[in-house]
Amino acid sequence: MDFVRQYRPVSLALVAGRGHYEAVVKAALHCERSLWIATANLKELMVEDERARPGRRRTVSRGAEFRSVLAVLAEQVGRGAEVRLLHASPPSGPFRADLRRLPILQRPTRGGFDMRLCPRVHFKAVIVDSEMLYLGSANWTGAGLGAKGEGRRNFELGLTSRDDLLLDEVQGYFDRIWSGGECRACKLRDRCPKPLDGG
C-alpha cells in the first residue's frame, strides 16, 4: 500500500485544538449511516450531552452535562448505523468499562458495532457517512479531539474534507487494513494478538 497520488485541487478545512471537537466529534455524534474511526490510542471520550430534555436548553454552556461517546454510538447503532473502530493499542480501562455497560456494543455484528486491533495502525482518520473525512494527528481521546479544557488539550492539527475522491482513497485504505489485506506480509504477525485476516 505504498503510493503517492498526483496533485489536484481539493477543498479542505484546517482544524486545531477545540476545532477538532466542533468539526470532527460533532459530525461523528450526528452520523446517520456509518462512522469509521482509525486511531493509535483509544480512550474514554466524554461529550457534551445535546439531547433535548424539558427545562434544559440545547445550547452548550459552561454548565454543560456530559456523557460517554460510547452511549451516543450505542444509540446510533440502535438506529442502524455501522460503527467501526480500528485501533493500534488496547483501549483504556475507562473505555472498556463504558463498553461493558452497553450490551448493544458487546456483540460485533455486520452493519453494527465492531472494533479491530492492528498494532501497525498509526494513521488517524474519522469518516462520517462516507461524506466527511478527517485526517490529522489527533487520536480518539479527549485530549486529542479538543474535549478537554484549555490547558489540558494536546497540540493537534488536522484537515477535514468532503472531497469524493479523497474519501474513496481513505475508505479503501481503511477497509484494506480492516479486512486483513495487509496481515500476511506483516512482520508483527507473530506478536499480533489477533491477525485481522483470521489466519
Side-chain angles (χ1 to χ4, degrees):
M1 286 202 312
D2 303 326
F3 58 81
V4 176
R5 300 296 185 237
Q6 286 185 309
Y7 285 105
R8 65 180 183 83
V10 178
S11 292
L12 302 169
L14 183 64
V15 296
R18 173 73 183 186
H20 283 83
Y21 190 90
E22 297 299 324
V24 181
V25 175
K26 285 189 176 181
L29 295 178
H30 295 99
C31 87
E32 295 179 4
R33 294 179 311 281
S34 63
L35 176 62
W36 292 9
I37 299 164
T39 183
N41 296 322
L42 190 53
K43 295 183 179 178
E44 177 187 47
L45 175 60
M46 300 302 288
V47 296
E48 293 160 354
D49 189 348
E50 296 179 345
R51 294 174 296 178
R53 290 198 292 272
R56 187 173 171 281
R57 294 184 326 193
R58 289 179 68 102
T59 56
V60 176
S61 66
R62 286 187 174 258
E65 295 177 33
F66 295 87
R67 65 184 181 143
S68 168
V69 72
L70 287 173
V72 179
L73 297 183
E75 291 171 3
Q76 292 167 329
V77 169
R79 290 191 298 269
E82 173 196 46
V83 178
R84 293 181 174 187
L85 287 172
L86 181 62
H87 54 104
S89 57
S92 70
F95 182 97
R96 291 191 312 269
D98 278 348
L99 193 59
R100 283 191 296 271
R101 286 191 278 273
L102 298 161
I104 195 168
L105 302 183
Q106 295 296 312
R107 13 178 226 289
T109 57
R110 185 171 175 79
F113 177 84
D114 201 1
M115 295 173 56
R116 299 203 177 159
L117 186 143
C118 172
R120 288 217 179 266
V121 168
H122 201 262
F123 74 106
K124 288 80 176 184
V126 178
I127 305 164
V128 181
D129 292 330
S130 297
E131 294 176 352
M132 193 282 285
L133 167 68
Y134 164 78
L135 289 174
S137 61
N139 281 302
W140 192 256
T141 66
L145 290 169
K148 299 278 187 182
E150 248 182 89
R152 299 181 64 210
R153 298 180 199 134
N154 296 341
F155 300 120
E156 306 282 5
L157 204 55
L159 303 166
T160 63
S161 180
R162 294 184 176 276
D163 182 84
D164 289 335
L165 292 177
L166 191 55
L167 276 155
D168 287 348
E169 288 278 353
V170 176
Q171 284 180 274
Y173 187 83
F174 183 113
D175 198 53
R176 180 159 175 80
I177 296 166
W178 180 267
S179 302
E182 296 298 311
C183 287
R184 293 216 185 275
C186 181
K187 301 297 183 197
L188 288 181
R189 185 182 177 90
D190 59 334
R191 296 195 313 248
C192 185
K194 187 178 177 184
L196 299 176
D197 65 356

